[in-house]
Amino acid sequence: MPWCVFLSLFLLCATSSCVRNSCCYPVMDADEFVIDSYKIREGKMAVLEMEGKGIGCLPDPQMMEEYPDVIAEDDLLNIAIYHPSRKDLMEAVQFINDEMNGFQVTHGRVTLPDVDAVFVGGLSLQQARELLQSKYREHINDVEVFISYRDRITHKVELAGMVEQATIPVDGKIRLYEVLSQAKIAPGANLFMSYLSRNGSILPIDFHRMINMGDMCYNIVMCAGDKIFIAYPSDATVVVMGEVFAPQAVELPYGFMSLREAIVSAGGIPFTGDRNRIQVIRGNLPEPKIYVLSWEHIIHLPNDSLLLMPGDTVYISETPITQWNRFIEQLLPSLNSGILTYNLYRGAVN
């Protein structure tokens, strides 16, 4: 083989050795990966803590307590009146109900025929009924008043993302699980990346543990103004690359996945892959944490002991013989061109 080939091979090996030795990132073995997998199994809060985004472990116990439901500003009320002889009054109230889509609470008050505006803001429906009835009975005996909610304009939970219904009214009793049931979450929604915010702050809610595992410690009572976002499947992924049949980003609807499942999703490892050097890169690029595992670990350890979390990258290295073959494949065109040029030169000289 010509001397230029040996020189090129020497430079390649020297460069590869230098790159490996200059790596200062922390490299962990399978034991460390298993320990971190046990943390991931604890759920969303543990994963966020590992990412440096901790938002607490469980909701405040006070969030589990029901509260009185009262009439709020801009609520639309259905109001009806019955009187044995005042048909005109009953029809007038019914006309407003039908034509104006109910009686709207404005500055805490509602206005009805034959009485002054009545302040009902902050009252329960029963309290408002008794108050309106007493106002009418000051000058009309035997009046009966009936009241209910037609719409809660501001007293609602707002939902976005993979749901069919955008708003759900609250009443001081309705809880998160019921709200999500009414909103109809789309199949395949990413529950790990979904969140609930209240007064601008993200609450420590693990939707996956509540919906799929029945952990009702997250089933808080909903408040007006709460906002829920149900994430899309692509909002949390791991990337599988290197020597696999189908390098791709794999979705994590539950916030974690076994390493074995991720590799299978990418088509598996071909004969060109180094099964003794399966790397998992975790964390941001400036300061990644790198785990190095082998195929033996994947075969013999349980799936839930080898878990990936959002943002992880799985990289399957090449085998040494694969690296050699590819180098030769890349080198041959240049080598053949050089030999052809040299032969032409020799022919011209001779």
Side-chain angles (χ1 to χ4, degrees):
M1 184 178 292
W3 66 270
C4 59
V5 176
F6 288 105
L7 178 61
S8 300
L9 292 175
F10 174 80
L11 292 174
L12 175 67
C13 294
T15 303
S16 300
S17 177
C18 178
V19 171
R20 284 195 300 267
N21 292 336
S22 64
C23 177
C24 59
Y25 302 133
V27 177
M28 311 294 177
D29 58 16
D31 291 341
E32 188 73 19
F33 191 73
V34 170
I35 292 172
D36 284 351
S37 295
Y38 282 115
K39 296 178 184 177
I40 294 173
R41 282 168 55 184
E42 295 175 8
K44 178 176 181 176
M45 303 310 140
V47 172
L48 291 177
E49 186 176 349
M50 292 175 67
E51 295 177 340
K53 305 174 184 176
I55 57 174
C57 295
L58 291 173
D60 188 324
Q62 292 184 348
M63 295 181 183
M64 306 297 291
E65 298 178 3
E66 298 179 357
Y67 57 88
D69 185 28
V70 296
I71 297 171
E73 187 71 8
D74 294 326
D75 278 350
L76 289 172
L77 305 176
N78 284 316
I79 299 178
I81 289 179
Y82 172 76
H83 189 272
S85 60
R86 289 294 305 272
K87 185 177 181 180
D88 61 319
L89 180 60
M90 292 189 295
E91 290 178 347
V93 173
Q94 188 61 44
F95 176 82
I96 296 174
N97 248 337
D98 295 340
E99 297 300 319
M100 304 302 293
N101 197 31
F103 291 82
Q104 187 166 16
V105 179
T106 305
H107 303 302
R109 293 176 168 81
V110 291
T111 303
L112 290 90
D114 292 354
V115 293
D116 294 332
V118 180
F119 192 91
V120 296
L123 301 180
S124 67
L125 288 179
Q126 179 62 26
Q127 291 171 332
R129 174 184 178 276
E130 293 172 355
L131 179 58
L132 292 173
Q133 192 165 267
S134 67
K135 292 292 184 181
Y136 271 110
R137 287 185 178 181
E138 288 177 1
H139 55 277
I140 304 175
N141 293 329
D142 301 326
V143 168
E144 293 288 340
V145 176
F146 304 93
I147 183 171
S148 63
Y149 290 113
R150 173 169 288 198
D151 196 4
R152 314 296 299 273
I153 303 300
T154 60
H155 226 61
K156 294 180 177 180
V157 174
E158 299 177 15
L159 299 103
M162 295 191 70
V163 291
E164 293 185 14
Q165 192 162 334
T167 58
I168 304 289
V170 299
D171 59 3
K173 297 180 177 62
I174 190 168
R175 295 179 179 270
L176 176 58
Y177 193 92
E178 185 179 352
V179 165
L180 296 176
S181 298
Q182 293 184 22
K184 298 180 181 177
I185 298 176
N190 192 316
L191 296 177
F192 174 80
M193 296 299 291
S194 301
Y195 62 86
L196 187 159
S197 69
R198 176 173 294 175
N199 300 323
S201 299
I202 303 297
L203 299 186
I205 302 293
D206 191 330
F207 287 84
H208 165 61
R209 291 189 67 87
M210 185 183 72
I211 294 175
N212 295 323
M213 301 176 66
D215 191 344
M216 290 296 116
C217 70
Y218 299 100
N219 194 24
I220 64 173
V221 177
M222 304 305 295
C223 294
D226 285 351
K227 294 177 173 56
I228 298 173
F229 175 73
I230 301 300
Y232 295 89
S234 59
D235 287 343
T237 61
V238 297
V239 175
V240 185
M241 57 189 300
E243 293 303 304
V244 290
F245 282 105
Q248 60 180 291
V250 181
E251 296 170 354
L252 303 179
Y254 303 140
F256 55 86
M257 174 182 286
S258 72
L259 178 57
R260 182 186 307 173
E261 186 179 356
I263 293 174
V264 170
S265 299
I269 303 174
F271 70 92
T272 57
D274 186 352
R275 299 194 174 205
N276 291 319
R277 192 166 180 79
I278 300 171
Q279 301 172 73
V280 177
I281 304 165
R282 178 171 293 164
N284 53 37
L285 287 178
E287 297 181 0
K289 191 176 183 181
I290 302 174
Y291 307 87
V292 179
L293 303 98
S294 71
W295 188 248
E296 293 299 316
H297 296 130
I298 297 176
I299 292 175
H300 294 107
L301 291 174
N303 274 343
D304 59 1
S305 295
L306 299 172
L307 295 181
L308 301 170
M309 57 187 262
D312 283 353
T313 297
V314 179
Y315 182 78
I316 311 299
S317 303
E318 302 169 326
T319 60
I321 188 62
T322 301
Q323 296 173 358
W324 171 269
N325 289 338
R326 288 178 177 169
F327 171 72
I328 295 300
E329 289 173 3
Q330 296 170 3
L331 184 64
L332 280 176
S334 299
L335 180 60
N336 291 335
S337 177
I339 293 173
L340 177 61
T341 302
Y342 178 72
N343 288 337
L344 289 174
Y345 171 76
R346 289 281 301 273
V349 170
N350 294 334

